[in-house]
Structures are given as C-alpha cells and as structure tokens.
Amino acid sequence: MLQRVVRSTVIDAPIERVWAVLRDFNSHEAWHEVVEASRIEGNERSDQVGCVRSFTLRDGNRIREQLLTLSDVEHKSTYCIVEATVPLQRYVATVTLKPVTDGNRTFWHWESTFATPPGMERELRDMVAQGVYEAGFENLCRHLQQGGDLRATGRAAAMPQAVAMRARRVAIERYGGPEELRPQEAEVPAPREGEVRIRQRAIGVNFIDVYLRRGWMPSMLPLPGVPGMEAAGTVLDVGPQVSGLLPGDRVTYLGPQPGAYCDLRCVPADWVLRLPASVEDDVAAALLLKGITADYLLRDLGRVQRGTRLLVHAAAGGVGLLVCSWARRLGAVVLGTVSSEEKARVARAHGCEHVIVTRDYRFADAVQRACGGADVVIDGLGGAARDENLAALARRGHWISLGQASGPLAPLPADALVAKSLSFSRPVVFDYVATNEQLAERAQRVWNALADGSINAPPIERCSLNAAAEAHARLESRATIGALVLVP
Ligand SMILES: NC(=O)c1ccc[n+]([C@@H]2O[C@H](COP(=O)([O-])OP(=O)(O)OC[C@H]3O[C@@H](n4cnc5c(N)ncnc54)[C@H](OP(=O)(O)O)[C@@H]3O)[C@@H](O)[C@H]2O)c1
C-alpha cells in the first residue's frame, strides 16, 4: 500500500522569494540541514526538467532524485527518487506555493506518496514528515531570515557570481534605421555600490527607443549604445549599500538611461521595484513605462475627469490603449485617431467611444463635429498633426505633446495658442518618477488599475531580443497594436 505524507506551512516571505530558492532543484544543500552535499548530474541546469540531483544526507545515506515538472506560473514542482540507500520506493513528491491573501507571505504545501518494505511504514513516514518536511520548513525560514540569498552558505554553484559575466545585448554602432540594431556579446561587471544585477526576462519597447536609434537624442544615447528604458526579470546579485532587494526577487525597472536591450544588466537600485506575484514579467515590461505615462497624463497634466473631452492619438498603440481605457473609467468622453479599421476595433474595445480612422492626420473636423472640440489632446504624433491639433482643440484646451512619431514638431510660436487661450505641455515620463518612492507610487496605481479593471491589459506582441530590428521596423511602419516586448 502506498504511504502518503502531507505537510504545509506559511512562510513569512513573499512567494517570489520562496520560489526563487525552491525552483532551484539543487538549492536544498544551502538551506536544508539534513543535506550534506548535493550536485546536479551531467552539468545540466538546476531548473531543467529531467535533471537529476545526487546528494548525501548527514547520516550517510545517498539519494538521486529527478525533477519531473516545474511551473513558474503555478509555483509548483514535482520530483521522484530514482535511486536511494533509504528504502523509499516509488517516491514522488510535489511542492506547491500559493500567496497568502496579504501578498507578503507564502503558503507552502509539500506532499508525497511512496511504498516501504513491510514493517517500516511508520518509521519512514515519520522520517519524511518530520526529518524532511517539517525540518525543511524551519530551515528555509531561517535561511530566508539570514538574508535569503545563498551567500550565507558559501554555496558557489547557485550563488550569483560577484564577478563579471557574459551577456547578450542588441546595440547600435551608428545612428540610422532598424538594421543598425545588431546582437552582440558583452561583459557585465558585478554590481557596484547602489546597483543590482538583473537577469532580464522581458524588455519593453517604446517609441523613444526609435528616436534614440535614429540619433535624435545623441546626448542620451552616445555611440556605441544600447537602447531600452525598462525591463522585468530576477535579481541576480546586489552591490554594497543596497537594501530591500535580494537575489531571487522578481523585479521590474524604469530609468532615464538607456541600455535595457540585453539579457543581463546592472542598474541603480533606485530604478527597481519588486513585482507583485499577480503581474507577469511580460505584462510588467509592456506596462510600466506606458502605464505610468498614462497615469501622469490623466492625473497630473490632463486632470481628466467625468465629462472631459479627450482626444488620444495612436489610440490603439501601447500608450494609447491604456489611456483610452483608464480615461473612460474616469468618465471622460474619449475620442481617438487610428490608421486602420482593425486598430479602430481594438481601440473601441478599450473604451475609445469615437474612433477616427485616418492615415494622413486629418481629424480636426471630425473632432469638432463629435464633441465641439477637445479639452485635452494627448499627442504622440508630432509634426504632421500640428495644425490639426490646434484646430481640434476647444477653447482653453490643453495640448500635451508627448512624442513625435510622425516627425519633429516645428517650433510653436506662443501666439499660435492665443486665439483660443490654449495651453501646451511637453512632458517626459522620467520627470514624473524622479525618485524610487514616486516610481513605486505610480507603478502601484498601474497594478491596481490593472487588477480592478480600470485598465485593460493591451495586446502584447513578443519578439526575441535578437529580432529587435524587426520589432522596430514594425513599430515604425504603424503595424503594431498594443505593446511590443522583447524576450531574451
Ligand atoms: N513623453 C513621454 O513621457 C512619453 C512616454 C511614452 C510614450 N511617449 C510617446 O507616446 C507615443 C506613443 O508611444 P508608444 O511607445 O506607445 O508607441 P505606439 O503608440 O504603440 O506606436 C506609435 C503609433 O503612432 C502612430 N503613428 C502615426 N504616424 C506615425 C508614423 N509616421 N510613424 C510611426 N508611427 C506613427 C501609429 O498609430 P496609427 O497607425 O494608429 O496612427 C503607431 O502605431 C510616442 O510618440 C512616444 O514617443 C511619450
């Protein structure tokens, strides 16, 4: 008859921190006191399904176990004993983590079934339940309290290396078209004071990356240079004087210096936020910069409220869709321009009531007819839409010029505003998240808005990091809907 052992506990640490340890099939050597020494056979990765860990217990027994399943989404893994000097037969175990409702603690469920030789049932059940599971709960808690990283144990294999490491990145050697984006290898030094080194899993693509690549802002991206302002991933190691971030933390970041088109990067800890378990890496990369932009546009600059007549250009774009759904939730009358019927359908589904389909930046008449003029225009188009924007605005309207997808905006004489007492803003997101507190506050509003349905997550188009040139070409050709994310 099969024996069954089930144990569970609550760990006082966020799920991502606990999972970062447990998903590493060889980590038990670092935290479980019964394990004397452990290694993964055949140089396989310790999170590779199928890998075998071979370990010795302090009592001299030897065990080989194979990882059968590993799900980062469900925070669950299954493994079995393939060979052991302990008489546990047909042993299969499952580890499952769930976030406790407050989000900062973790429910850990550990269970197994196995057969034993006759007469040894009780002894082996107690050994697994108490010696392995209950002791393991205690040992892991202590390990996490001691800092949660593997440094304390001196275990080199899983310990993030305090040395330079090789990384893949996409860089430009000269300014120009998408074809200038070329994959290459580079060395990433250990994090310096105040920095963390992040293993990136998803990188947000933004239109500013195109401006930088074209050489429109050379002081921001000197040559050779790596574009990209944001990404999500896992902290690999932290430099001196960093508090609140640990190896294994799932994080996202946004910063004013480009360099995110890579799989490994050191960034100032001030740019970095821990990610809630509910936000996947690619959603974070798709939403952080664009969602925070929507937040400051609607709350701070546009002061959008019930009844505000809001015109959103590129309404089916990365920023556009977020602005539409959030503004609609605030009660605004949302009008938007898009260049195709397909984009119109998506914009409507995200809350844009009046969609104007135009490829040649003619929209002012339609706006005046629909609502008598816009109180606020959110304009990422720039040059080609200049005069139409002036004509589409209502008296005392506010033109927020946040980008130049169609080309640079010609200088605007103050007198162009006087006829309707218009105002004009030229904001940049980085000034709205100049400190880690501001970044955290705005990001939290974005995650909350996502959770309560105030914003619909936009469609996300995923491209491999090596295909960054194709991603840029699609963005520039007006082919994309929603957000683009690069996956290393
Ligand atoms: N200042 C800030 O803080 C800030 C922050 C984030 C974004 N932005 C700006 O907001 C705008 C949207 O950014 P995003 O990253 O979300 O990009 P996006 O909206 O996903 O893509 C740009 C869109 O612009 C429209 N467009 C019109 N003429 C174009 C042209 N000649 N070439 C390319 N696109 C053209 C296209 O939509 P249609 O085909 O439907 O017209 C295109 O899909 C950009 O101008 C960006 O610079 C500014």
Side-chain angles (χ1 to χ4, degrees):
M1 198 180 76
L2 277 185
Q3 306 297 313
R4 183 159 181 259
V5 170
V6 180
R7 288 293 183 274
S8 54
T9 191
V10 171
I11 302 273
D12 198 11
I15 190 166
E16 293 305 339
R17 187 165 300 168
V18 182
W19 182 240
V21 177
L22 293 184
R23 75 183 299 286
D24 176 350
F25 198 46
N26 203 36
S27 72
H28 62 168
E29 183 195 17
W31 56 269
H32 206 309
E33 282 178 353
V34 300
V35 178
E36 173 79 38
S38 177
R39 68 182 177 82
I40 298 288
E41 295 179 1
N43 278 335
E44 291 217 76
R45 280 196 347 249
S46 57
D47 60 358
Q48 174 66 57
V49 169
C51 74
V52 173
R53 67 181 177 193
S54 175
F55 58 100
T56 318
L57 300 176
R58 290 207 186 273
D59 64 8
N61 274 302
R62 288 187 310 282
I63 301 181
R64 292 174 67 233
E65 287 178 334
Q66 185 168 34
L67 183 62
L68 300 177
T69 68
L70 181 83
S71 165
D72 286 326
V73 175
E74 291 178 90
H75 299 107
K76 184 171 178 174
S77 65
T78 316
Y79 58 96
C80 68
I81 291 183
V82 286
E83 195 181 348
T85 54
V86 208
L88 286 169
Q89 297 153 1
R90 290 184 277 145
Y91 176 96
V92 180
T94 304
V95 164
T96 312
L97 302 183
K98 299 234 180 271
V100 174
T101 334
D102 72 9
N104 283 323
R105 293 183 305 149
T106 303
F107 177 75
W108 174 1
H109 181 88
W110 203 349
E111 74 169 89
S112 57
T113 53
F114 51 88
T116 69
M120 293 190 74
E121 294 85 355
R122 190 188 182 118
E123 183 191 334
L124 288 170
R125 257 199 333 260
D126 288 351
M127 185 196 99
V128 172
Q130 288 147 27
V132 182
Y133 296 0
E134 290 172 17
F137 292 153
E138 254 187 64
N139 292 171
L140 187 77
C141 282
R142 196 170 326 125
H143 172 74
L144 292 169
Q145 278 160 6
Q146 283 165 355
D149 62 19
L150 304 172
R151 227 177 319 212
T153 69
R155 198 171 69 87
M159 159 64 193
Q161 323 277 307
V163 295
M165 292 170 74
R166 300 297 290 171
R168 280 185 305 120
R169 66 184 199 182
V170 170
I172 56 168
E173 302 281 336
R174 55 181 190 189
Y175 300 122
E179 68 286 355
E180 298 300 337
L181 289 164
R182 305 234 171 89
Q184 54 180 229
E185 290 224 330
E187 191 141 283
V188 176
R192 289 172 304 190
E193 186 170 315
E195 284 186 342
V196 296
R197 188 157 48 175
I198 296 174
R199 170 71 63 201
Q200 304 197 148
R201 304 206 191 282
I203 302 152
V205 177
N206 293 285
F207 219 91
I208 190 174
D209 306 348
V210 172
Y211 308 144
L212 292 172
R213 192 210 66 218
R214 288 176 183 164
W216 288 10
M217 299 149 136
S219 59
M220 198 166 166
L221 187 69
L223 293 175
V226 177
M229 318 306 296
E230 63 175 340
T234 306
V235 173
L236 192 62
D237 46 7
V238 304
Q241 306 298 329
V242 172
S243 60
L245 291 168
L246 287 171
D249 281 348
R250 221 164 58 82
V251 293
T252 185
Y253 72 82
L254 165 62
Q257 283 147 32
Y261 284 15
C262 57
D263 63 356
L264 187 67
R265 185 182 184 195
C266 288
V267 295
D270 278 353
W271 298 2
V272 181
L273 300 174
R274 295 216 344 246
L275 260 180
S278 56
V279 182
E280 300 289 339
D281 295 340
D282 52 357
V283 173
L287 246 66
L288 188 65
L289 189 150
K290 298 174 188 74
I292 285 174
T293 299
D295 179 62
Y296 84 71
L297 288 172
L298 296 172
R299 279 174 63 95
D300 301 72
L301 268 183
R303 304 209 182 126
V304 168
Q305 50 190 300
R306 182 159 301 284
T308 304
R309 294 164 298 177
L310 179 72
L311 173 61
V312 185
H313 291 313
V319 172
L321 286 177
L322 296 173
V323 169
C324 286
S325 56
W326 215 343
R328 186 65 180 275
R329 180 55 77 98
L330 294 170
V333 177
V334 185
L335 303 96
T337 65
V338 296
S339 62
S340 71
E341 289 299 338
E342 191 194 355
K343 289 187 175 189
R345 273 193 298 281
V346 180
R348 264 186 220 108
H350 282 71
C352 187
E353 276 175 278
H354 305 278
V355 185
I356 302 159
V357 181
T358 169
R359 239 192 124 71
D360 58 0
Y361 317 103
R362 295 284 163 268
F363 49 83
D365 286 350
V367 173
Q368 291 293 350
R369 271 198 309 277
C371 66
D375 300 308
V376 178
V377 175
I378 292 185
D379 169 33
L381 300 181
R386 178 182 185 274
D387 295 341
E388 288 280 305
N389 277 328
L390 287 167
L393 279 155
R395 184 170 290 151
R396 300 205 327 252
H398 185 179
W399 176 4
I400 305 175
S401 167
L402 77 157
Q404 326 201 8
S406 78
L409 190 64
L412 190 69
D415 281 355
L417 305 174
V418 79
K420 288 190 270 188
S421 300
L422 303 177
S423 54
F424 177 82
S425 302
R426 190 79 180 86
V428 179
V429 62
F430 306 110
D431 289 322
Y432 289 82
V433 289
T435 64
N436 189 262
E437 290 71 32
Q438 290 169 5
L439 179 64
E441 192 184 321
R442 288 194 187 274
Q444 194 56 52
R445 266 203 297 278
V446 175
W447 311 143
N448 292 348
L450 190 62
D452 72 17
S454 300
I455 49 177
N456 298 339
I460 299 175
E461 197 176 309
R462 295 166 186 81
C463 298
S464 84
L465 173 61
N466 284 347
E470 286 94 74
H472 273 218
R474 281 182 57 70
L475 188 60
E476 282 169 280
S477 64
R478 306 172 77 169
T480 56
I481 293 180
L484 265 172
V485 162
L486 300 176
V487 183

